[in-house]
Amino acid sequence: MPMPTATDVRAFIPARDFALSKAFHAALGWEVRDVGPGIALVTIGEAQHFYIQDYYLREVAENSMLHLTVDDADAWYVHVQRVLADGRFPGARVQRPALQAYGAMVTFVHDPSGVLLHLCEWR
């Protein structure tokens, strides 16, 4: 029997405030659309996706991480700073890009629920 194939991996991340989480990811420039009760699909570019769920456990949120490959970690840092400048997203924060031991320049972004986004530029 042939091996079945898999074509996509999509993580589910928790949201302390579902509407705020969706607004935050949309403000980053990503498409966010409701796909079911308490579930929103976030699309980055043409083929990268993850789900935001209307579910929250602090221990889960603060131990959830998403790695996103980007073309310019410095530009993303500036972009996220602008998104956060008006204070609409309490709890969200961004750290200056830093070179990591594994070879990527990374801008760390904490979303309003505490989920950590690794915006990685491979050098």
Side-chain angles (χ1 to χ4, degrees):
M1 178 186 324
M3 175 74 169
T5 61
T7 60
D8 195 13
V9 174
R10 298 182 186 188
F12 284 76
I13 63 167
R16 179 175 27 224
D17 178 327
F18 189 51
L20 184 68
S21 240
K22 292 189 300 182
F24 174 76
H25 289 91
L28 292 179
W30 302 332
E31 178 189 342
V32 178
R33 66 182 170 89
D34 291 321
V35 293
I39 300 290
L41 178 66
V42 178
T43 302
I44 302 167
E46 293 180 19
Q48 305 305 314
H49 313 279
F50 63 90
Y51 293 102
I52 300 170
Q53 58 185 331
D54 190 8
Y55 171 82
Y56 180 78
L57 279 177
R58 181 178 175 192
E59 296 79 12
V60 172
E62 293 180 358
N63 285 287
S64 293
M65 295 182 273
L66 293 178
H67 169 106
L68 295 93
T69 300
V70 299
D71 61 348
D72 187 335
D74 293 304
W76 272 98
Y77 173 71
V78 171
H79 175 63
V80 176
Q81 278 189 311
R82 287 184 189 140
V83 167
L84 299 179
D86 64 8
R88 286 187 306 159
F89 303 109
R93 61 190 192 278
V94 62
Q95 294 172 248
R96 288 190 177 280
L99 186 60
Q100 302 301 303
Y102 54 89
M105 182 63 72
V106 180
T107 297
F108 293 104
V109 178
H110 298 264
D111 83 356
S113 299
V115 174
L116 180 60
L117 308 175
H118 293 228
L119 305 181
C120 298
E121 174 189 348
W122 293 102
R123 294 190 170 174

